[in-house]
Amino acid sequence: MSIEIRHLHKQFGSFAALRDINLKIHAGELLALLGPSGSGKTTLLRVIAGLETADTGQVLFNDEDATRQHVRDRQVGFVFQHYALFRNMTIFENVAFGLRVRPRHSRLKNQEIHERVTHLLKLVQLDWLADRYPHQLSGGQRQRIALARALAVEPKVLLLDEPFGALDAKVRKELRSWLRRLHDEMPITSVFVTHDQEEALEVSDRVVVMNEGRIEQAGTPDEVYEQPVNPFVYEFLGHVNLFHGRIHQGRAWIGDIEIDAPEHAEAEDLAAIAYVRPHDIEVDRFLNGDSALPARVSHILSVGPVVRLELTREDHQDRNLVQAEISKERFRELQLAKGDRVFIKPRRLDLFPHQSH
Amino acid sequence: MTTITLSHPIKIQQQTIITQEPAWVRWMLIGLALTFLALFLFVPLISVFYEALKKGVDVYFAAITEPDALAAIQLTLTAAAIAVPLNLVFGVAAAWAIAKFEFHGKNILITLIDLPFSVSPVVAGLIYVLVFGLQGWLGPWLIEHDLKIIFAVPGIVLATIFVTVPFIARELIPLMQAQGTEEEEAAVVLGASGWQTLWRITLPNIKWGLLYGIILCNARAMGEFGAVSVVSGHIRGNTNTLPLHVEILYNEYSYAASFAVASLLALLALITLAIKTFVESKVTPQKGKLSHEH
């Protein structure tokens, strides 16, 4: 089922949680709503579910207006951050709940309920816990049961609110790839909220980056990571280095480096910030031909396949730290040690005019 | 669960080592507390039963089976039987509204629920006399329609309801607030109706807290003296509750009979305590579980 959101606005007192949100979620898609806390992502998810009503705007399910539809008629599955399992029921009864509360005429027979619940418990690989109570389970197990419970009613849409937020790093990683696989097997339109950019990029088909109640960018993980549309998305997705410089009539200057910036042909001597990912920084021992920025190695972290360097710029402009990532081979080739002088050059960068605020 | 049971004793041990006081301090404090308890709780309690049985078992049973005493027992039970269920419904409804919804005037409602705690019961009784009494606001209208509230059973029931309003609501509000609304939301998303959510999710989650509230409410309903005394009129065999009956007998110098009836109330208190202790043991792990989950 596809979801469409049109001009959604939601106000909590003087705080605008959502401002004119427009979004199309395609059928069968796994979409991530990514943003810092207070960005409105959870509110948006709850409005889609019907747990919250927007002040203005529409929510459409399969092109039909569902704005006024009650939560219980929307046929959505919702997974809560803190699981919200029914503490007074066994795991089996938790999963069976949605089937048992149906009106008598559409309720399944006991035997069928039993079969479906057992099937779902097997799907989440926890059928051996059927007779336990929620408080006897670990966090990861509870979250899988919460998912099974949501799937039991065969929802048209699956909504997950920070599903892995309360779990430790290892379990979170496991559940992440498990959710991805589950979605590949059962392609239900799914929306999940997260503040973890790695999680969003790794699991989803498409990422919607939100900030202060607005959508900053929507796109595939590659798009939002490789082509961020503004400084916020750049800074929120992954590590990034900031270089202050100037742009003038299609040319940009950062320290001694001069580069073409055709998209800023109109600019008349403007302050600008260049964003460069750590892996897009070239590190060399010598200045070979082109201009580069002198820097000194202040820290080396060489655990894993990638070596992370912390460099201090030596030119007078700004002495901020620059993070660079180079491969282990390159690191051996350069034979770098702490305190060494190097030259750095951005391989690829994005320029944004500096907003003074 | 095992990690929790393991970590607890260790914690307690550390605490006792840090907060260890010299032996004489500990014994002095314990001794003080025990003396206090003995003087103010155990001695009076024992004396009630001692005085009640001083003139023999026959006098004791005669005192509690004479018609006026039986009438008092019946009236006390009636008042409690009406007040407790009404406050049960009101308490659950009020706690549900306060804990699970945001609305204007919420603080006023909480204050109103606490009012019977802050107002002297005698004043509460007087309010009813002022409203329903002969010279009261509704007095003439009530006489016209031949309705009797003050110095009659309805007045006693009303006064009892008033003084017992806070017990159940007060017990439930913090419990329901701690539990939050996520489980209810989950139930509704899964297609449950309002009633199904109440019966299958909300009530089972608060059952022990609710029972605890009912016990306290019942104890107060049966033991209330001040408010009931004002509206009762002390008509023997008619508008006398157990506590009022005790007072009348005492004022008439029939000490043995007075203490015999009083021993019934003391017995009720002991039973209440026993049930309360049992229920508390059920409530506490529920609360513990809660804090562990979040």
Side-chain angles (χ1 to χ4, degrees):
Chain A
M1 188 160 78
S2 68
I3 306 169
E4 195 182 338
I5 288 140
R6 286 185 191 158
H7 303 296
L8 219 55
H9 190 93
K10 170 90 182 166
Q11 194 92 19
F12 290 114
S14 61
F15 174 72
L18 298 174
R19 309 173 200 225
D20 194 33
I21 299 282
N22 289 284
L23 181 64
K24 264 192 165 166
I25 303 165
H26 312 299
E29 189 174 42
L30 179 52
L31 183 105
L33 294 176
L34 174 67
S37 54
S39 60
K41 53 196 194 306
T42 294
T43 309
L44 179 56
L45 193 78
R46 288 172 65 86
V47 170
I48 296 174
L51 288 169
E52 210 91 62
T53 42
D55 300 334
T56 54
Q58 280 181 304
V59 178
L60 287 88
F61 284 173
N62 268 349
D63 299 326
E64 274 175 48
D65 191 358
T67 317
R68 305 256 156 260
Q69 212 176 20
H70 193 273
V71 201
R72 82 174 66 89
D73 305 319
R74 289 201 187 188
Q75 289 186 285
V76 298
F78 201 100
V79 177
F80 292 82
Q81 183 179 3
H82 296 290
Y83 331 116
L85 294 182
F86 306 131
R87 76 193 79 194
N88 64 315
M89 295 179 203
T90 61
I91 295 309
F92 183 92
E93 285 305 319
N94 260 281
V95 179
F97 184 85
L99 303 171
R100 294 216 197 275
V101 293
R102 280 189 189 170
R104 189 153 293 155
H105 60 88
S106 62
R107 203 182 299 162
L108 297 174
K109 286 198 201 78
N110 233 335
Q111 178 65 28
E112 292 168 304
I113 291 179
H114 194 272
E115 275 166 23
R116 191 182 297 176
V117 172
T118 313
H119 169 75
L120 279 163
L121 286 175
K122 277 196 180 122
L123 185 77
V124 298
Q125 300 151 6
L126 291 174
D127 47 327
W128 50 286
L129 290 174
D131 297 326
R132 304 273 183 93
Y133 281 87
H135 67 90
Q136 296 170 305
L137 271 58
S138 71
Q141 290 170 335
R142 284 186 219 177
Q143 196 55 289
R144 280 191 275 166
I145 295 300
L147 194 63
R149 181 178 70 178
L151 291 173
V153 291
E154 297 181 325
K156 303 261 166 56
V157 177
L158 189 61
L159 306 170
L160 306 102
D161 183 12
E162 303 244 2
F164 315 126
L167 302 169
D168 59 68
K170 188 170 173 287
V171 181
R172 201 183 322 185
K173 272 222 150 93
E174 283 169 16
L175 275 186
R176 222 189 265 170
S177 55
W178 176 79
L179 178 71
R180 181 68 248 180
R181 269 180 281 128
L182 191 78
H183 186 264
D184 292 340
E185 283 168 36
M186 266 199 292
I188 307 171
T189 312
S190 306
V191 182
F192 80 100
V193 160
T194 179
H195 62 260
D196 181 342
Q197 36 102 3
E198 201 185 313
E199 192 170 290
L201 297 175
E202 198 176 296
V203 178
S204 62
D205 297 321
R206 213 147 60 92
V207 180
V208 172
V209 184
M210 290 186 71
N211 183 36
E212 291 179 345
R214 288 196 191 84
I215 292 179
E216 299 281 357
Q217 189 175 4
T220 62
D222 271 346
E223 277 166 12
V224 291
Y225 188 81
E226 299 292 342
Q227 298 143 30
V229 293
N230 59 31
F232 174 81
V233 180
Y234 232 123
E235 284 179 47
F236 198 72
L237 287 174
H239 293 291
V240 69
N241 294 300
L242 269 65
F243 293 92
H244 290 272
R246 303 204 77 78
I247 39 176
H248 181 64
Q249 293 179 345
R251 302 288 291 164
W253 288 267
I254 297 157
D256 288 342
I257 304 173
E258 190 182 338
I259 359 162
D260 278 331
E263 70 273 24
H264 296 291
E266 310 292 305
E268 290 289 335
D269 195 29
L270 280 178
I273 299 179
Y275 287 80
V276 188
R277 297 273 186 218
H279 56 81
D280 282 331
I281 291 200
E282 233 168 87
V283 181
D284 219 324
R285 273 193 171 272
F286 308 101
L287 192 64
N288 43 2
D290 306 337
S291 53
L293 306 171
R296 209 167 272 284
V297 179
S298 54
H299 190 74
I300 299 171
L301 186 78
S302 56
V303 178
V306 171
V307 178
R308 285 224 295 272
L309 304 174
E310 239 174 59
L311 309 154
T312 317
R313 279 178 68 178
E314 293 221 306
D315 48 340
H316 62 282
Q317 274 168 321
D318 37 7
R319 289 193 167 273
N320 55 349
L321 283 177
V322 176
Q323 291 200 340
E325 284 174 10
I326 55 173
S327 68
K328 219 148 210 170
E329 291 89 67
R330 177 79 182 139
F331 178 67
R332 285 199 200 99
E333 217 175 284
L334 290 168
Q335 292 187 315
L336 286 176
K338 200 170 162 178
D340 282 358
R341 190 148 193 260
V342 290
F343 290 91
I344 56 172
K345 197 164 57 179
R347 198 177 290 130
R348 210 179 65 95
L349 56 76
D350 277 305
L351 277 165
F352 296 98
H354 184 46
Q355 290 139 348
S356 44
H357 56 148
Chain B
M1 290 310 276
T2 43
T3 53
I4 292 160
T5 45
L6 273 173
S7 67
H8 262 290
I10 294 164
K11 241 184 211 165
I12 290 161
Q13 232 172 24
Q14 282 172 339
Q15 273 171 356
T16 47
I17 291 163
I18 294 162
T19 59
Q20 193 77 284
E21 297 291 339
W24 67 272
V25 174
R26 275 182 289 150
W27 284 112
M28 198 184 72
L29 289 174
I30 291 169
L32 259 172
L34 285 180
T35 317
F36 184 87
L37 276 178
L39 272 177
F40 290 91
L41 281 174
F42 297 126
V43 172
L45 188 64
I46 291 161
S47 80
V48 167
F49 288 98
Y50 174 76
E51 292 287 340
L53 293 164
K54 206 159 84 176
K55 291 193 176 159
V57 182
D58 295 342
V59 178
Y60 180 84
F61 280 106
I64 58 172
T65 50
E66 56 121 354
D68 286 350
L70 286 179
I73 293 172
Q74 201 194 352
L75 181 58
T76 297
L77 291 177
T78 312
I82 298 170
V84 174
L86 279 177
N87 276 329
L88 170 68
V89 174
F90 170 77
V92 172
W96 161 279
I98 288 168
K100 314 257 168 176
F101 299 95
E102 290 302 323
F103 54 91
H104 290 288
K106 189 161 155 172
N107 283 326
I108 298 173
L109 181 59
I110 296 173
T111 313
L112 279 179
I113 289 172
D114 277 345
L115 190 67
F117 274 166
S118 49
V119 169
S120 158
V122 177
V123 176
L126 276 175
I127 292 167
Y128 282 101
V129 173
L130 282 176
V131 175
F132 299 111
L134 272 182
Q135 270 78 45
W137 294 348
L138 297 175
W141 186 87
L142 288 169
I143 294 169
E144 239 171 68
H145 293 80
D146 201 22
L147 292 169
K148 233 177 135 30
I149 291 183
I150 300 303
F151 306 144
V153 177
I156 291 168
V157 173
L158 280 177
T160 310
I161 291 172
F162 179 82
V163 294
T164 53
V165 157
F167 286 94
I168 292 174
R170 269 282 142 199
E171 182 61 33
L172 292 183
I173 290 167
L175 181 62
M176 285 170 106
Q177 275 174 336
Q179 287 178 349
T181 51
E182 274 203 342
E183 284 187 46
E184 277 86 0
E185 284 181 347
V188 175
V189 173
L190 287 167
S193 67
W195 275 114
Q196 283 171 323
T197 311
L198 179 70
W199 286 107
R200 288 167 184 249
I201 309 297
T202 308
L203 286 182
N205 279 352
I206 58 167
K207 62 184 174 204
W208 290 112
L210 187 60
L211 190 56
Y212 187 74
I214 291 172
I215 293 161
L216 291 183
C217 182
N218 183 57
R220 183 63 192 269
M222 291 192 176
E224 174 54 27
F225 179 82
V228 170
S229 172
V230 175
V231 297
S232 140
H234 303 261
I235 306 163
R236 275 194 146 180
N238 193 0
T239 62
N240 254 0
T241 60
L242 271 181
L244 299 181
H245 192 59
V246 173
E247 192 209 15
I248 288 180
L249 290 173
Y250 190 82
N251 288 344
E252 289 170 351
Y253 304 107
S254 12
Y255 294 131
S258 169
F259 277 104
V261 178
S263 75
L264 288 180
L265 286 169
L267 210 62
L268 171 77
L270 290 177
I271 294 168
T272 303
L273 271 180
I275 303 175
K276 186 173 152 276
T277 313
F278 170 73
V279 173
E280 257 175 355
S281 70
K282 292 280 180 188
V283 175
T284 327
Q286 214 180 13
K287 282 178 181 164
K289 236 181 273 163
L290 228 142
S291 57
H292 163 229
E293 265 174 34
H294 287 271

